[in-house]
Amino acid sequence: MASKPSIPKGTRDFSPAEVSKRNYIISIMRNHFEKFGYQPIETPSFENSDTLMGKYGEEGDRLIFKILNSGDYLDKVPTEQLQSINYKQLTGKISEKALRYDLTVPFARYVVQHQSEIEFPFKRYQIQPVWRADRPQKGRFREFYQCDADVVGSKSLWQEVELVQLYDSVFASLGLNGVSIKINNRKILSGIAEVIGASDKLIDFTVALDKLDKIGEDGVKKEMLEKGISKVALEKVQPLFNFTGTIQQKLEKLTQLLSSSEEGKKGIEELRFICDNVSKLGLQKAILDLDVTLARGLNYYTGAIFEVTAPKEVDMGSIGGGGRYDDLTGIFGLKDMSGVGISFGLDRIYLVLEELDLFPETVTTATKVMFLNFGESQTFEAMKAITELRNQNIKSEMYPDAAKIDKQFKHAERRGIPFVVKEIDGSNFTLKDIQTGEQLQLNLENLIKKLS
């Protein structure tokens, strides 16, 4: 007996309607990426393992899908070692390639490998799937698309200003109101750690602080103490646990808190420049907010850090993020190549639009008109008309078999096709609106006008 077909956990099939909706989001992103001067690239689905491993921290490395070597993948492992070898040693011997974990590290590899062909500063966008061996849950999948926009070869903070505008433009076109673009700066986090005497605990400090909205003030303090951060340090950092006010008010509080840290003051000035100019230029729909607890991507972010959250009425978490990295290409030998980039979470954005009912009805309408099939006597005339309609970019088709008329009508209804040509009489066509039942007698010219 054949086994019941299934797909791996954390992956999904997409129906025609779902693909149409995803393509709608992607088309809007692509339009704005190119409007802002970003150029498209693509990289392979899998990379050499040494390209990816060690770039995302220990936790990230565990989430990378490894690909077994083809053929006898145990061939390179001596038999006597199989009993005693640990999994890390074994992985290196049986797997030389891995599915990409994100688009950023492959992009860094691309820049280094093609640096002689690239005109810097280089603005690129990339829309491709990535894979992570994560625990599946709402809005989190093992296979999902990332939609990235990055600039490399420029240290200008105007790039950060522009990326905030890019986020805002995309979400405005999607009709998504109330999106919050949170911003912070790695230098500010370093400055805080320096001021409280915990520079050697920077990662532990920021990882715990990043959980403030999830585990609360007491939970964060407990985790910091467990990581070896002193009670005295926690007293100094107390203002961060109630960090409210406008962006300008928050910057003033930070100026006082970080008055003894040169690194921290640099971060404040960078944030001030970005926020002031975004404010002067204005945003269409999104809200820019300074969040000092934001601490994503500390393994490679060196300046501004972004995270985008969905409107408050949707429980979804982040739908985008990014930041400035001063030396990401350095991991592949190209030093001092500063860059900054952002990512859109396509799958989560899809879920948000679905929950808020923001997809236009026309997005899932594929075929505009279907010609009923009355047998050989009319099929040629129907195909002539369909050919002309298609030449006018009107999506049209003919039911392939001369089945019962009722069956053909039901087929059109189930597929959401709005119009049916139910009869051809010489040069005239009887067009029926399935929703209203209205019928019109039209020649080909007027049929095209009606359906355009």
Side-chain angles (χ1 to χ4, degrees), residues 358-403:
L358 291 176
F359 284 109
E361 289 184 15
T362 54
V363 167
T364 55
T365 303
T367 297
K368 186 74 173 286
V369 60
M370 187 185 84
F371 284 63
L372 299 187
N373 190 322
F374 290 97
E376 293 301 318
S377 61
Q378 289 191 341
T379 52
F380 182 75
E381 291 304 315
M383 286 306 297
K384 275 177 62 179
I386 287 170
T387 300
E388 188 56 38
L389 289 171
R390 288 170 177 168
N391 288 340
Q392 300 298 320
N393 291 318
I394 298 169
K395 298 174 184 177
S396 46
E397 62 180 272
M398 180 176 68
Y399 192 85
D401 304 304

Side-chain angles (χ1 to χ4, degrees), residues 134-179:
D134 215 339
R135 184 171 64 87
Q137 53 187 283
K138 181 183 179 182
R140 179 176 292 175
F141 308 99
R142 288 176 171 172
E143 179 186 60
F144 58 96
Y145 268 75
Q146 282 191 343
C147 311
D148 286 9
D150 289 78
V151 187
V152 291
S154 171
K155 294 183 179 181
S156 170
L157 293 175
W158 283 110
Q159 306 296 349
E160 278 86 338
V161 173
E162 185 178 80
L163 288 171
V164 173
Q165 290 182 308
L166 177 56
Y167 264 140
D168 179 53
S169 296
V170 169
F171 292 125
S173 290
L174 291 171
L176 199 52
N177 298 326
V179 168

Side-chain angles (χ1 to χ4, degrees), residues 79-87 89:
T79 305
E80 62 272 12
Q81 289 187 16
L82 285 176
Q83 297 298 324
S84 59
I85 198 168
N86 64 46
Y87 84 94
Q89 292 173 316

Side-chain angles (χ1 to χ4, degrees), residues 175-191:
L176 199 52
N177 298 326
V179 168
S180 178
I181 304 171
K182 297 180 180 180
I183 187 171
N184 196 14
N185 194 295
R186 167 64 187 270
K187 295 182 180 72
I188 285 175
L189 293 168
S190 298

Side-chain angles (χ1 to χ4, degrees), residues 206-450:
T206 51
V207 167
L209 189 62
D210 197 32
K211 298 176 183 177
L212 184 60
D213 61 337
K214 300 182 182 72
I215 62 177
E217 180 179 337
D218 291 340
V220 170
K221 287 180 176 179
K222 181 174 180 288
E223 184 169 325
M224 287 183 176
L225 288 170
E226 289 172 352
K227 295 293 185 180
I229 297 170
S230 69
K231 288 185 178 180
V232 174
L234 292 184
E235 289 172 7
K236 291 180 180 178
V237 86
Q238 182 61 39
L240 297 182
F241 294 111
N242 188 29
F243 210 73
T244 57
T246 66
I247 289 177
Q248 292 302 325
Q249 289 169 338
K250 290 176 181 178
L251 287 172
E252 290 306 315
K253 291 179 184 178
L254 283 173
T255 300
Q256 295 174 21
L257 182 64
L258 301 177
S259 60
S260 62
S261 170
E262 290 303 316
E263 180 83 348
K265 286 190 283 189
K266 286 180 187 175
I268 292 170
E269 287 311 304
E270 289 180 9
L271 273 186
R272 196 185 303 277
F273 179 91
I274 297 165
C275 295
D276 283 355
N277 282 293
V278 167
S279 177
K280 291 174 185 175
L281 292 166
L283 295 175
Q284 300 174 67
K285 299 286 187 182
I287 303 159
L288 183 65
D289 188 30
L290 170 54
D291 183 354
V292 291
T293 69
L294 182 59
R296 57 183 294 138
L298 287 178
N299 285 323
Y300 47 80
Y301 290 143
T302 55
I305 308 168
F306 299 105
E307 184 169 278
V308 183
T309 55
K312 292 179 181 178
E313 58 265 37
V314 183
D315 182 19
M316 185 55 66
S318 68
I319 56 175
R324 164 74 63 173
Y325 43 86
D326 279 341
D327 196 27
L328 186 62
T329 55
I331 58 179
F332 299 116
L334 182 59
K335 298 292 184 182
D336 300 320
M337 182 64 72
S338 185
V340 60
I342 58 173
S343 180
F344 291 81
L346 172 64
D347 297 282
R348 289 190 174 189
I349 292 170
Y350 178 103
L351 293 172
V352 170
L353 295 181
E354 188 91 312
E355 191 164 331
L356 296 176
D357 195 24
L358 291 176
F359 284 109
E361 289 184 15
T362 54
V363 167
T364 55
T365 303
T367 297
K368 186 74 173 286
V369 60
M370 187 185 84
F371 284 63
L372 299 187
N373 190 322
F374 290 97
E376 293 301 318
S377 61
Q378 289 191 341
T379 52
F380 182 75
E381 291 304 315
M383 286 306 297
K384 275 177 62 179
I386 287 170
T387 300
E388 188 56 38
L389 289 171
R390 288 170 177 168
N391 288 340
Q392 300 298 320
N393 291 318
I394 298 169
K395 298 174 184 177
S396 46
E397 62 180 272
M398 180 176 68
Y399 192 85
D401 304 304
K404 292 181 180 179
I405 300 303
D406 184 55
K407 180 180 179 180
Q408 296 186 51
F409 264 110
K410 285 182 178 177
H411 176 77
E413 288 173 358
R414 284 194 293 265
R415 287 188 50 201
I417 298 172
F419 294 99
V420 163
V421 171
K422 57 176 290 189
E423 188 178 352
I424 302 175
D425 182 12
S427 60
N428 290 319
F429 302 85
T430 303
L431 181 72
K432 181 173 182 176
D433 185 321
I434 289 183
Q435 287 289 329
T436 65
E438 179 188 19
Q439 294 190 174
L440 298 171
Q441 292 281 338
L442 303 167
N443 60 24
L444 183 58
E445 182 181 351
N446 289 326
L447 180 67
I448 291 170
K449 288 180 180 177
K450 174 67 177 176

